[in-house]
Amino acid sequence: MAKLLAFSSLLILDYAHGWNDCKSRSFDTATQSLQTSRCTELDLSHAQALSGATDPRFQSFLQALSANVNVRKVEMENLELDDNMVKALVDALIDRSVDLYSLEITNQNFGDDGADAIAAFLAKTSSLRSLSLARNHIGDVGVTSIANALPPSLHELDLSWNSIGDTGVEALLQAVIQGSMIRELELDHNRITDDGAEIVYTVLTTSKSDYLRELDILDNPMTDQGLRVLQDASQGRAAAARPVKIKLPRHIWSEATGGHRPRQPARAVPLKRKPAASNWTEQQVKDWVRDLHPTFKSYANAFVSNAVNGEVLLSLTEDDLATMGIDNKLHCKRIVAEIKKMAASDEL
């Protein structure tokens, strides 16, 4: 009993000495917190502006963040981070041995180049559940990079108050319904027009994905016609028992019982799906080969030594397998046939 009480006291002491959220208004104090505290959440906002990515204070902060093994949530707001600073921040996040579950980089000064860097982090993370990049300068190019790297773990995505147009919303929604698990998507205060509303309608009413539940697309340059199209999309999803709550102005919803006639659901348009295996790591590829057939276990290490990840796996030919040292032609044919079958069915 005495030992149990002593252990409990140590736990209480540990909590009192650092297991708290770290809030800071300067990079120096944030660096100190990362080095001396055991907080799991870091909140850094409204700090004094830095001179750029090479500012010593910023570099010290990045080094401390990269070495930290406790922080799982990072909130950075109103720090005037530009594209180069975001790239440096992402490098530090990728270097960490512990993944994040939440990342907020809001009200900064970066655009598509910074978004492209963040996409590199998204391609690496396997734990991120919430991402907010609100109030930046991300356009169609940057959001397309993000769309192509959405991790399966992500549930909430906030891209409000950016410069995303119709092309960007199409790339993003296609990615959201093709394998992601995003439940909440915020796109309010962007540059999405009536054409974008038509894209939203087509994608949502032809998709069988059940994950997306809320879409905020208010305060975009749409006319009432575009807003009614979004209303039709919401009602079409509800009729198909796959409801998506789309935030719309009150006067649009009041027409639901009036003279506005909902359109018929769009005809399903075949969508180009990205096979799930394309995101596999080298270890997952190795495990797949080992499980394919008992005889193929001896080939598994050849895939690792040749750095074959999921994307490379899907492009392999019989000649490639022979180059890797698999000299049995029938085995090569069988492996390639299984790869094609997996790509066609989009199954893990």
Side-chain angles (χ1 to χ4, degrees), residues 169 173 177 194-207 215 217 226-237 246 260-267:
V169 77
L173 277 180
I177 67 169
D194 288 357
D195 290 339
E198 293 284 353
I199 291 170
V200 172
Y201 176 86
T202 300
V203 173
L204 291 186
T205 57
T206 59
S207 167
L215 173 62
I217 202 167
L227 294 171
R228 292 188 187 102
V229 170
L230 295 176
Q231 179 193 35
D232 291 342
S234 180
Q235 293 175 337
R237 291 281 298 197
I246 301 179
H260 173 57
R261 203 174 207 185
R263 64 172 69 189
Q264 294 298 314
R267 252 174 59 190

PDB file of all heavy atoms in Angstrom, residues 169 173 177 194-207 215 217 226-237 246 260-267:
ATOM      1  N   VAL A 169     -11.926  23.358 -55.543  1.00  0.00           N
ATOM      2  CA  VAL A 169     -12.973  22.639 -54.812  1.00  0.00           C
ATOM      3  C   VAL A 169     -13.264  21.298 -55.477  1.00  0.00           C
ATOM      4  O   VAL A 169     -13.589  20.306 -54.796  1.00  0.00           O
ATOM      5  CB  VAL A 169     -14.252  23.493 -54.684  1.00  0.00           C
ATOM      6  CG1 VAL A 169     -15.059  23.524 -55.967  1.00  0.00           C
ATOM      7  CG2 VAL A 169     -15.123  22.979 -53.549  1.00  0.00           C
ATOM      8  N   LEU A 173     -12.904  17.915 -53.293  1.00  0.00           N
ATOM      9  CA  LEU A 173     -14.056  17.048 -53.049  1.00  0.00           C
ATOM     10  C   LEU A 173     -13.845  15.662 -53.644  1.00  0.00           C
ATOM     11  O   LEU A 173     -14.262  14.654 -53.055  1.00  0.00           O
ATOM     12  CB  LEU A 173     -15.322  17.679 -53.611  1.00  0.00           C
ATOM     13  CG  LEU A 173     -16.007  18.710 -52.718  1.00  0.00           C
ATOM     14  CD1 LEU A 173     -17.249  19.247 -53.392  1.00  0.00           C
ATOM     15  CD2 LEU A 173     -16.362  18.121 -51.357  1.00  0.00           C
ATOM     16  N   ILE A 177     -14.047  12.227 -51.171  1.00  0.00           N
ATOM     17  CA  ILE A 177     -14.977  11.097 -51.306  1.00  0.00           C
ATOM     18  C   ILE A 177     -14.303   9.823 -51.811  1.00  0.00           C
ATOM     19  O   ILE A 177     -14.925   8.775 -51.868  1.00  0.00           O
ATOM     20  CB  ILE A 177     -16.139  11.447 -52.254  1.00  0.00           C
ATOM     21  CG1 ILE A 177     -15.620  11.621 -53.679  1.00  0.00           C
ATOM     22  CG2 ILE A 177     -16.893  12.651 -51.763  1.00  0.00           C
ATOM     23  CD1 ILE A 177     -16.708  11.703 -54.713  1.00  0.00           C
ATOM     24  N   ASP A 194     -20.964  29.780 -58.865  1.00  0.00           N
ATOM     25  CA  ASP A 194     -22.068  28.878 -59.210  1.00  0.00           C
ATOM     26  C   ASP A 194     -21.563  27.623 -59.931  1.00  0.00           C
ATOM     27  O   ASP A 194     -22.128  26.537 -59.764  1.00  0.00           O
ATOM     28  CB  ASP A 194     -23.079  29.601 -60.105  1.00  0.00           C
ATOM     29  CG  ASP A 194     -23.891  30.641 -59.340  1.00  0.00           C
ATOM     30  OD1 ASP A 194     -23.704  30.743 -58.108  1.00  0.00           O
ATOM     31  OD2 ASP A 194     -24.700  31.345 -59.967  1.00  0.00           O
ATOM     32  N   ASP A 195     -20.496  27.778 -60.728  1.00  0.00           N
ATOM     33  CA  ASP A 195     -19.915  26.596 -61.392  1.00  0.00           C
ATOM     34  C   ASP A 195     -19.383  25.615 -60.355  1.00  0.00           C
ATOM     35  O   ASP A 195     -19.502  24.396 -60.513  1.00  0.00           O
ATOM     36  CB  ASP A 195     -18.793  27.020 -62.337  1.00  0.00           C
ATOM     37  CG  ASP A 195     -19.308  27.759 -63.566  1.00  0.00           C
ATOM     38  OD1 ASP A 195     -20.503  27.597 -63.891  1.00  0.00           O
ATOM     39  OD2 ASP A 195     -18.523  28.500 -64.189  1.00  0.00           O
ATOM     40  N   GLY A 196     -18.791  26.151 -59.297  1.00  0.00           N
ATOM     41  CA  GLY A 196     -18.319  25.289 -58.215  1.00  0.00           C
ATOM     42  C   GLY A 196     -19.458  24.586 -57.514  1.00  0.00           C
ATOM     43  O   GLY A 196     -19.333  23.430 -57.088  1.00  0.00           O
ATOM     44  N   ALA A 197     -20.596  25.273 -57.382  1.00  0.00           N
ATOM     45  CA  ALA A 197     -21.777  24.657 -56.775  1.00  0.00           C
ATOM     46  C   ALA A 197     -22.242  23.465 -57.609  1.00  0.00           C
ATOM     47  O   ALA A 197     -22.649  22.431 -57.060  1.00  0.00           O
ATOM     48  CB  ALA A 197     -22.898  25.682 -56.642  1.00  0.00           C
ATOM     49  N   GLU A 198     -22.200  23.601 -58.931  1.00  0.00           N
ATOM     50  CA  GLU A 198     -22.569  22.486 -59.813  1.00  0.00           C
ATOM     51  C   GLU A 198     -21.622  21.309 -59.615  1.00  0.00           C
ATOM     52  O   GLU A 198     -22.039  20.143 -59.612  1.00  0.00           O
ATOM     53  CB  GLU A 198     -22.540  22.941 -61.270  1.00  0.00           C
ATOM     54  CG  GLU A 198     -23.600  23.961 -61.636  1.00  0.00           C
ATOM     55  CD  GLU A 198     -24.983  23.337 -61.784  1.00  0.00           C
ATOM     56  OE1 GLU A 198     -25.098  22.098 -61.730  1.00  0.00           O
ATOM     57  OE2 GLU A 198     -25.955  24.105 -61.954  1.00  0.00           O
ATOM     58  N   ILE A 199     -20.342  21.613 -59.427  1.00  0.00           N
ATOM     59  CA  ILE A 199     -19.353  20.553 -59.181  1.00  0.00           C
ATOM     60  C   ILE A 199     -19.661  19.844 -57.869  1.00  0.00           C
ATOM     61  O   ILE A 199     -19.639  18.615 -57.785  1.00  0.00           O
ATOM     62  CB  ILE A 199     -17.934  21.151 -59.154  1.00  0.00           C
ATOM     63  CG1 ILE A 199     -17.529  21.626 -60.551  1.00  0.00           C
ATOM     64  CG2 ILE A 199     -16.929  20.129 -58.627  1.00  0.00           C
ATOM     65  CD1 ILE A 199     -16.257  22.447 -60.585  1.00  0.00           C
ATOM     66  N   VAL A 200     -19.957  20.628 -56.833  1.00  0.00           N
ATOM     67  CA  VAL A 200     -20.304  20.040 -55.527  1.00  0.00           C
ATOM     68  C   VAL A 200     -21.519  19.127 -55.672  1.00  0.00           C
ATOM     69  O   VAL A 200     -21.545  18.009 -55.141  1.00  0.00           O
ATOM     70  CB  VAL A 200     -20.582  21.146 -54.495  1.00  0.00           C
ATOM     71  CG1 VAL A 200     -21.128  20.540 -53.200  1.00  0.00           C
ATOM     72  CG2 VAL A 200     -19.317  21.948 -54.210  1.00  0.00           C
ATOM     73  N   TYR A 201     -22.519  19.598 -56.405  1.00  0.00           N
ATOM     74  CA  TYR A 201     -23.735  18.802 -56.600  1.00  0.00           C
ATOM     75  C   TYR A 201     -23.411  17.469 -57.276  1.00  0.00           C
ATOM     76  O   TYR A 201     -23.843  16.404 -56.817  1.00  0.00           O
ATOM     77  CB  TYR A 201     -24.748  19.574 -57.439  1.00  0.00           C
ATOM     78  CG  TYR A 201     -25.991  18.781 -57.764  1.00  0.00           C
ATOM     79  CD1 TYR A 201     -27.057  18.748 -56.874  1.00  0.00           C
ATOM     80  CD2 TYR A 201     -26.072  18.032 -58.937  1.00  0.00           C
ATOM     81  CE1 TYR A 201     -28.194  17.996 -57.153  1.00  0.00           C
ATOM     82  CE2 TYR A 201     -27.200  17.278 -59.218  1.00  0.00           C
ATOM     83  CZ  TYR A 201     -28.253  17.264 -58.335  1.00  0.00           C
ATOM     84  OH  TYR A 201     -29.369  16.512 -58.604  1.00  0.00           O
ATOM     85  N   THR A 202     -22.661  17.524 -58.366  1.00  0.00           N
ATOM     86  CA  THR A 202     -22.353  16.305 -59.115  1.00  0.00           C
ATOM     87  C   THR A 202     -21.551  15.319 -58.273  1.00  0.00           C
ATOM     88  O   THR A 202     -21.853  14.119 -58.231  1.00  0.00           O
ATOM     89  CB  THR A 202     -21.567  16.658 -60.397  1.00  0.00           C
ATOM     90  OG1 THR A 202     -22.355  17.523 -61.210  1.00  0.00           O
ATOM     91  CG2 THR A 202     -21.228  15.398 -61.182  1.00  0.00           C
ATOM     92  N   VAL A 203     -20.535  15.825 -57.589  1.00  0.00           N
ATOM     93  CA  VAL A 203     -19.681  14.940 -56.791  1.00  0.00           C
ATOM     94  C   VAL A 203     -20.467  14.301 -55.647  1.00  0.00           C
ATOM     95  O   VAL A 203     -20.398  13.087 -55.415  1.00  0.00           O
ATOM     96  CB  VAL A 203     -18.461  15.709 -56.245  1.00  0.00           C
ATOM     97  CG1 VAL A 203     -17.679  14.830 -55.272  1.00  0.00           C
ATOM     98  CG2 VAL A 203     -17.556  16.158 -57.381  1.00  0.00           C
ATOM     99  N   LEU A 204     -21.246  15.105 -54.922  1.00  0.00           N
ATOM    100  CA  LEU A 204     -21.949  14.578 -53.752  1.00  0.00           C
ATOM    101  C   LEU A 204     -23.086  13.633 -54.129  1.00  0.00           C
ATOM    102  O   LEU A 204     -23.318  12.629 -53.451  1.00  0.00           O
ATOM    103  CB  LEU A 204     -22.495  15.725 -52.904  1.00  0.00           C
ATOM    104  CG  LEU A 204     -21.465  16.583 -52.169  1.00  0.00           C
ATOM    105  CD1 LEU A 204     -22.163  17.588 -51.257  1.00  0.00           C
ATOM    106  CD2 LEU A 204     -20.504  15.722 -51.348  1.00  0.00           C
ATOM    107  N   THR A 205     -23.812  13.924 -55.177  1.00  0.00           N
ATOM    108  CA  THR A 205     -24.971  13.094 -55.514  1.00  0.00           C
ATOM    109  C   THR A 205     -24.591  11.825 -56.278  1.00  0.00           C
ATOM    110  O   THR A 205     -25.423  10.933 -56.424  1.00  0.00           O
ATOM    111  CB  THR A 205     -25.998  13.880 -56.345  1.00  0.00           C
ATOM    112  OG1 THR A 205     -25.385  14.385 -57.533  1.00  0.00           O
ATOM    113  CG2 THR A 205     -26.573  15.031 -55.527  1.00  0.00           C
ATOM    114  N   THR A 206     -23.365  11.736 -56.751  1.00  0.00           N
ATOM    115  CA  THR A 206     -22.930  10.505 -57.428  1.00  0.00           C
ATOM    116  C   THR A 206     -22.006   9.665 -56.562  1.00  0.00           C
ATOM    117  O   THR A 206     -21.646   8.557 -56.943  1.00  0.00           O
ATOM    118  CB  THR A 206     -22.210  10.834 -58.756  1.00  0.00           C
ATOM    119  OG1 THR A 206     -21.072  11.656 -58.484  1.00  0.00           O
ATOM    120  CG2 THR A 206     -23.143  11.529 -59.713  1.00  0.00           C
ATOM    121  N   SER A 207     -21.628  10.194 -55.405  1.00  0.00           N
ATOM    122  CA  SER A 207     -20.718   9.466 -54.523  1.00  0.00           C
ATOM    123  C   SER A 207     -21.493   8.585 -53.545  1.00  0.00           C
ATOM    124  O   SER A 207     -22.564   8.951 -53.068  1.00  0.00           O
ATOM    125  CB  SER A 207     -19.859  10.454 -53.727  1.00  0.00           C
ATOM    126  OG  SER A 207     -19.185   9.798 -52.671  1.00  0.00           O
ATOM    127  N   LEU A 215     -20.554  20.280 -44.516  1.00  0.00           N
ATOM    128  CA  LEU A 215     -19.843  21.097 -45.488  1.00  0.00           C
ATOM    129  C   LEU A 215     -20.269  22.546 -45.310  1.00  0.00           C
ATOM    130  O   LEU A 215     -21.442  22.884 -45.487  1.00  0.00           O
ATOM    131  CB  LEU A 215     -20.152  20.621 -46.908  1.00  0.00           C
ATOM    132  CG  LEU A 215     -19.607  21.493 -48.054  1.00  0.00           C
ATOM    133  CD1 LEU A 215     -18.084  21.542 -48.002  1.00  0.00           C
ATOM    134  CD2 LEU A 215     -20.085  20.959 -49.401  1.00  0.00           C
ATOM    135  N   ILE A 217     -19.919  26.099 -46.847  1.00  0.00           N
ATOM    136  CA  ILE A 217     -19.497  26.760 -48.083  1.00  0.00           C
ATOM    137  C   ILE A 217     -20.147  28.145 -48.193  1.00  0.00           C
ATOM    138  O   ILE A 217     -20.313  28.698 -49.281  1.00  0.00           O
ATOM    139  CB  ILE A 217     -19.829  25.840 -49.279  1.00  0.00           C
ATOM    140  CG1 ILE A 217     -18.981  26.172 -50.492  1.00  0.00           C
ATOM    141  CG2 ILE A 217     -21.301  25.836 -49.585  1.00  0.00           C
ATOM    142  CD1 ILE A 217     -19.032  25.118 -51.582  1.00  0.00           C
ATOM    143  N   GLY A 226     -26.818  29.293 -57.484  1.00  0.00           N
ATOM    144  CA  GLY A 226     -25.800  28.354 -57.016  1.00  0.00           C
ATOM    145  C   GLY A 226     -26.121  27.802 -55.647  1.00  0.00           C
ATOM    146  O   GLY A 226     -25.908  26.610 -55.377  1.00  0.00           O
ATOM    147  N   LEU A 227     -26.655  28.645 -54.770  1.00  0.00           N
ATOM    148  CA  LEU A 227     -27.012  28.188 -53.428  1.00  0.00           C
ATOM    149  C   LEU A 227     -28.139  27.159 -53.475  1.00  0.00           C
ATOM    150  O   LEU A 227     -28.157  26.207 -52.684  1.00  0.00           O
ATOM    151  CB  LEU A 227     -27.414  29.385 -52.569  1.00  0.00           C
ATOM    152  CG  LEU A 227     -26.299  30.395 -52.264  1.00  0.00           C
ATOM    153  CD1 LEU A 227     -26.865  31.636 -51.591  1.00  0.00           C
ATOM    154  CD2 LEU A 227     -25.225  29.756 -51.389  1.00  0.00           C
ATOM    155  N   ARG A 228     -29.072  27.337 -54.414  1.00  0.00           N
ATOM    156  CA  ARG A 228     -30.162  26.359 -54.542  1.00  0.00           C
ATOM    157  C   ARG A 228     -29.632  25.017 -55.052  1.00  0.00           C
ATOM    158  O   ARG A 228     -30.153  23.956 -54.693  1.00  0.00           O
ATOM    159  CB  ARG A 228     -31.239  26.902 -55.470  1.00  0.00           C
ATOM    160  CG  ARG A 228     -31.998  28.099 -54.906  1.00  0.00           C
ATOM    161  CD  ARG A 228     -33.172  28.483 -55.774  1.00  0.00           C
ATOM    162  NE  ARG A 228     -33.777  29.724 -55.323  1.00  0.00           N
ATOM    163  CZ  ARG A 228     -33.579  30.904 -55.910  1.00  0.00           C
ATOM    164  NH1 ARG A 228     -32.788  30.988 -56.973  1.00  0.00           N
ATOM    165  NH2 ARG A 228     -34.164  31.984 -55.437  1.00  0.00           N
ATOM    166  N   VAL A 229     -28.598  25.075 -55.878  1.00  0.00           N
ATOM    167  CA  VAL A 229     -27.969  23.833 -56.349  1.00  0.00           C
ATOM    168  C   VAL A 229     -27.367  23.074 -55.158  1.00  0.00           C
ATOM    169  O   VAL A 229     -27.489  21.847 -55.058  1.00  0.00           O
ATOM    170  CB  VAL A 229     -26.887  24.145 -57.403  1.00  0.00           C
ATOM    171  CG1 VAL A 229     -26.060  22.889 -57.713  1.00  0.00           C
ATOM    172  CG2 VAL A 229     -27.525  24.664 -58.681  1.00  0.00           C
ATOM    173  N   LEU A 230     -26.751  23.808 -54.259  1.00  0.00           N
ATOM    174  CA  LEU A 230     -26.203  23.174 -53.057  1.00  0.00           C
ATOM    175  C   LEU A 230     -27.312  22.613 -52.175  1.00  0.00           C
ATOM    176  O   LEU A 230     -27.163  21.544 -51.566  1.00  0.00           O
ATOM    177  CB  LEU A 230     -25.374  24.192 -52.264  1.00  0.00           C
ATOM    178  CG  LEU A 230     -24.106  24.707 -52.944  1.00  0.00           C
ATOM    179  CD1 LEU A 230     -23.443  25.774 -52.082  1.00  0.00           C
ATOM    180  CD2 LEU A 230     -23.137  23.568 -53.214  1.00  0.00           C
ATOM    181  N   GLN A 231     -28.438  23.319 -52.119  1.00  0.00           N
ATOM    182  CA  GLN A 231     -29.584  22.815 -51.373  1.00  0.00           C
ATOM    183  C   GLN A 231     -30.067  21.491 -51.963  1.00  0.00           C
ATOM    184  O   GLN A 231     -30.359  20.540 -51.240  1.00  0.00           O
ATOM    185  CB  GLN A 231     -30.715  23.835 -51.393  1.00  0.00           C
ATOM    186  CG  GLN A 231     -31.978  23.380 -50.651  1.00  0.00           C
ATOM    187  CD  GLN A 231     -33.158  24.274 -50.961  1.00  0.00           C
ATOM    188  OE1 GLN A 231     -33.278  24.770 -52.087  1.00  0.00           O
ATOM    189  NE2 GLN A 231     -34.021  24.490 -49.991  1.00  0.00           N
ATOM    190  N   ASP A 232     -30.115  21.441 -53.291  1.00  0.00           N
ATOM    191  CA  ASP A 232     -30.521  20.199 -53.962  1.00  0.00           C
ATOM    192  C   ASP A 232     -29.545  19.061 -53.643  1.00  0.00           C
ATOM    193  O   ASP A 232     -29.951  17.913 -53.465  1.00  0.00           O
ATOM    194  CB  ASP A 232     -30.574  20.408 -55.478  1.00  0.00           C
ATOM    195  CG  ASP A 232     -31.724  21.322 -55.889  1.00  0.00           C
ATOM    196  OD1 ASP A 232     -32.650  21.514 -55.075  1.00  0.00           O
ATOM    197  OD2 ASP A 232     -31.690  21.842 -57.025  1.00  0.00           O
ATOM    198  N   ALA A 233     -28.265  19.400 -53.577  1.00  0.00           N
ATOM    199  CA  ALA A 233     -27.268  18.379 -53.254  1.00  0.00           C
ATOM    200  C   ALA A 233     -27.493  17.816 -51.860  1.00  0.00           C
ATOM    201  O   ALA A 233     -27.439  16.600 -51.643  1.00  0.00           O
ATOM    202  CB  ALA A 233     -25.862  18.974 -53.357  1.00  0.00           C
ATOM    203  N   SER A 234     -27.780  18.704 -50.909  1.00  0.00           N
ATOM    204  CA  SER A 234     -28.028  18.264 -49.539  1.00  0.00           C
ATOM    205  C   SER A 234     -29.276  17.384 -49.462  1.00  0.00           C
ATOM    206  O   SER A 234     -29.282  16.337 -48.804  1.00  0.00           O
ATOM    207  CB  SER A 234     -28.184  19.477 -48.625  1.00  0.00           C
ATOM    208  OG  SER A 234     -28.421  19.086 -47.288  1.00  0.00           O
ATOM    209  N   GLN A 235     -30.340  17.803 -50.152  1.00  0.00           N
ATOM    210  CA  GLN A 235     -31.572  17.017 -50.136  1.00  0.00           C
ATOM    211  C   GLN A 235     -31.410  15.690 -50.869  1.00  0.00           C
ATOM    212  O   GLN A 235     -31.979  14.673 -50.466  1.00  0.00           O
ATOM    213  CB  GLN A 235     -32.705  17.850 -50.755  1.00  0.00           C
ATOM    214  CG  GLN A 235     -33.083  19.054 -49.905  1.00  0.00           C
ATOM    215  CD  GLN A 235     -34.116  19.947 -50.574  1.00  0.00           C
ATOM    216  OE1 GLN A 235     -34.256  19.942 -51.797  1.00  0.00           O
ATOM    217  NE2 GLN A 235     -34.841  20.722 -49.773  1.00  0.00           N
ATOM    218  N   GLY A 236     -30.606  15.695 -51.946  1.00  0.00           N
ATOM    219  CA  GLY A 236     -30.356  14.456 -52.660  1.00  0.00           C
ATOM    220  C   GLY A 236     -29.601  13.448 -51.816  1.00  0.00           C
ATOM    221  O   GLY A 236     -29.897  12.255 -51.844  1.00  0.00           O
ATOM    222  N   ARG A 237     -28.628  13.941 -51.045  1.00  0.00           N
ATOM    223  CA  ARG A 237     -27.888  13.036 -50.145  1.00  0.00           C
ATOM    224  C   ARG A 237     -28.802  12.500 -49.052  1.00  0.00           C
ATOM    225  O   ARG A 237     -28.722  11.323 -48.690  1.00  0.00           O
ATOM    226  CB  ARG A 237     -26.724  13.787 -49.508  1.00  0.00           C
ATOM    227  CG  ARG A 237     -25.622  14.164 -50.464  1.00  0.00           C
ATOM    228  CD  ARG A 237     -24.701  13.030 -50.774  1.00  0.00           C
ATOM    229  NE  ARG A 237     -24.015  12.534 -49.595  1.00  0.00           N
ATOM    230  CZ  ARG A 237     -22.935  11.770 -49.630  1.00  0.00           C
ATOM    231  NH1 ARG A 237     -22.417  11.409 -50.791  1.00  0.00           N
ATOM    232  NH2 ARG A 237     -22.364  11.333 -48.526  1.00  0.00           N
ATOM    233  N   ILE A 246     -25.181  20.888 -45.356  1.00  0.00           N
ATOM    234  CA  ILE A 246     -24.527  21.984 -46.060  1.00  0.00           C
ATOM    235  C   ILE A 246     -25.060  23.296 -45.500  1.00  0.00           C
ATOM    236  O   ILE A 246     -26.273  23.544 -45.531  1.00  0.00           O
ATOM    237  CB  ILE A 246     -24.779  21.909 -47.576  1.00  0.00           C
ATOM    238  CG1 ILE A 246     -24.259  20.577 -48.134  1.00  0.00           C
ATOM    239  CG2 ILE A 246     -24.101  23.075 -48.287  1.00  0.00           C
ATOM    240  CD1 ILE A 246     -24.483  20.410 -49.622  1.00  0.00           C
ATOM    241  N   HIS A 260     -39.526  26.319 -55.156  1.00  0.00           N
ATOM    242  CA  HIS A 260     -38.315  25.750 -55.746  1.00  0.00           C
ATOM    243  C   HIS A 260     -38.449  24.249 -55.898  1.00  0.00           C
ATOM    244  O   HIS A 260     -38.779  23.536 -54.971  1.00  0.00           O
ATOM    245  CB  HIS A 260     -37.105  26.071 -54.867  1.00  0.00           C
ATOM    246  CG  HIS A 260     -35.865  25.382 -55.325  1.00  0.00           C
ATOM    247  ND1 HIS A 260     -35.356  25.543 -56.596  1.00  0.00           N
ATOM    248  CD2 HIS A 260     -35.050  24.519 -54.674  1.00  0.00           C
ATOM    249  CE1 HIS A 260     -34.259  24.817 -56.715  1.00  0.00           C
ATOM    250  NE2 HIS A 260     -34.052  24.189 -55.565  1.00  0.00           N
ATOM    251  N   ARG A 261     -38.174  23.777 -57.078  1.00  0.00           N
ATOM    252  CA  ARG A 261     -38.321  22.360 -57.364  1.00  0.00           C
ATOM    253  C   ARG A 261     -36.957  21.676 -57.386  1.00  0.00           C
ATOM    254  O   ARG A 261     -36.119  22.004 -58.225  1.00  0.00           O
ATOM    255  CB  ARG A 261     -38.957  22.220 -58.737  1.00  0.00           C
ATOM    256  CG  ARG A 261     -39.648  20.920 -58.952  1.00  0.00           C
ATOM    257  CD  ARG A 261     -40.346  20.974 -60.266  1.00  0.00           C
ATOM    258  NE  ARG A 261     -41.463  20.097 -60.244  1.00  0.00           N
ATOM    259  CZ  ARG A 261     -42.203  19.880 -61.298  1.00  0.00           C
ATOM    260  NH1 ARG A 261     -41.940  20.521 -62.407  1.00  0.00           N
ATOM    261  NH2 ARG A 261     -43.191  19.056 -61.230  1.00  0.00           N
ATOM    262  N   PRO A 262     -36.695  20.751 -56.471  1.00  0.00           N
ATOM    263  CA  PRO A 262     -35.397  20.067 -56.457  1.00  0.00           C
ATOM    264  C   PRO A 262     -35.149  19.336 -57.773  1.00  0.00           C
ATOM    265  O   PRO A 262     -36.059  18.756 -58.342  1.00  0.00           O
ATOM    266  CB  PRO A 262     -35.519  19.084 -55.283  1.00  0.00           C
ATOM    267  CG  PRO A 262     -36.599  19.641 -54.427  1.00  0.00           C
ATOM    268  CD  PRO A 262     -37.559  20.311 -55.365  1.00  0.00           C
ATOM    269  N   ARG A 263     -33.934  19.377 -58.251  1.00  0.00           N
ATOM    270  CA  ARG A 263     -33.583  18.683 -59.481  1.00  0.00           C
ATOM    271  C   ARG A 263     -33.416  17.198 -59.228  1.00  0.00           C
ATOM    272  O   ARG A 263     -33.268  16.753 -58.085  1.00  0.00           O
ATOM    273  CB  ARG A 263     -32.282  19.258 -60.054  1.00  0.00           C
ATOM    274  CG  ARG A 263     -31.097  19.032 -59.146  1.00  0.00           C
ATOM    275  CD  ARG A 263     -29.803  19.428 -59.816  1.00  0.00           C
ATOM    276  NE  ARG A 263     -29.718  20.869 -59.992  1.00  0.00           N
ATOM    277  CZ  ARG A 263     -28.769  21.458 -60.699  1.00  0.00           C
ATOM    278  NH1 ARG A 263     -27.849  20.739 -61.295  1.00  0.00           N
ATOM    279  NH2 ARG A 263     -28.742  22.765 -60.808  1.00  0.00           N
ATOM    280  N   GLN A 264     -33.430  16.419 -60.277  1.00  0.00           N
ATOM    281  CA  GLN A 264     -33.185  14.982 -60.157  1.00  0.00           C
ATOM    282  C   GLN A 264     -31.697  14.757 -59.924  1.00  0.00           C
ATOM    283  O   GLN A 264     -30.855  15.499 -60.430  1.00  0.00           O
ATOM    284  CB  GLN A 264     -33.625  14.265 -61.445  1.00  0.00           C
ATOM    285  CG  GLN A 264     -35.114  14.311 -61.692  1.00  0.00           C
ATOM    286  CD  GLN A 264     -35.886  13.614 -60.582  1.00  0.00           C
ATOM    287  OE1 GLN A 264     -35.521  12.517 -60.166  1.00  0.00           O
ATOM    288  NE2 GLN A 264     -36.930  14.250 -60.099  1.00  0.00           N
ATOM    289  N   PRO A 265     -31.355  13.738 -59.148  1.00  0.00           N
ATOM    290  CA  PRO A 265     -29.936  13.444 -58.911  1.00  0.00           C
ATOM    291  C   PRO A 265     -29.193  13.259 -60.223  1.00  0.00           C
ATOM    292  O   PRO A 265     -29.737  12.729 -61.183  1.00  0.00           O
ATOM    293  CB  PRO A 265     -29.977  12.141 -58.090  1.00  0.00           C
ATOM    294  CG  PRO A 265     -31.317  12.149 -57.445  1.00  0.00           C
ATOM    295  CD  PRO A 265     -32.234  12.810 -58.418  1.00  0.00           C
ATOM    296  N   ALA A 266     -27.949  13.720 -60.233  1.00  0.00           N
ATOM    297  CA  ALA A 266     -27.142  13.592 -61.449  1.00  0.00           C
ATOM    298  C   ALA A 266     -26.824  12.138 -61.735  1.00  0.00           C
ATOM    299  O   ALA A 266     -26.784  11.295 -60.836  1.00  0.00           O
ATOM    300  CB  ALA A 266     -25.838  14.377 -61.271  1.00  0.00           C
ATOM    301  N   ARG A 267     -26.638  11.857 -63.024  1.00  0.00           N
ATOM    302  CA  ARG A 267     -26.213  10.519 -63.408  1.00  0.00           C
ATOM    303  C   ARG A 267     -24.820  10.270 -62.892  1.00  0.00           C
ATOM    304  O   ARG A 267     -23.971  11.165 -62.918  1.00  0.00           O
ATOM    305  CB  ARG A 267     -26.203  10.403 -64.925  1.00  0.00           C
ATOM    306  CG  ARG A 267     -27.343   9.548 -65.443  1.00  0.00           C
ATOM    307  CD  ARG A 267     -27.405   9.567 -66.931  1.00  0.00           C
ATOM    308  NE  ARG A 267     -26.167   9.093 -67.486  1.00  0.00           N
ATOM    309  CZ  ARG A 267     -25.874   9.187 -68.761  1.00  0.00           C
ATOM    310  NH1 ARG A 267     -26.695   9.772 -69.576  1.00  0.00           N
ATOM    311  NH2 ARG A 267     -24.733   8.729 -69.216  1.00  0.00           N
TER     312      ARG A 267
END
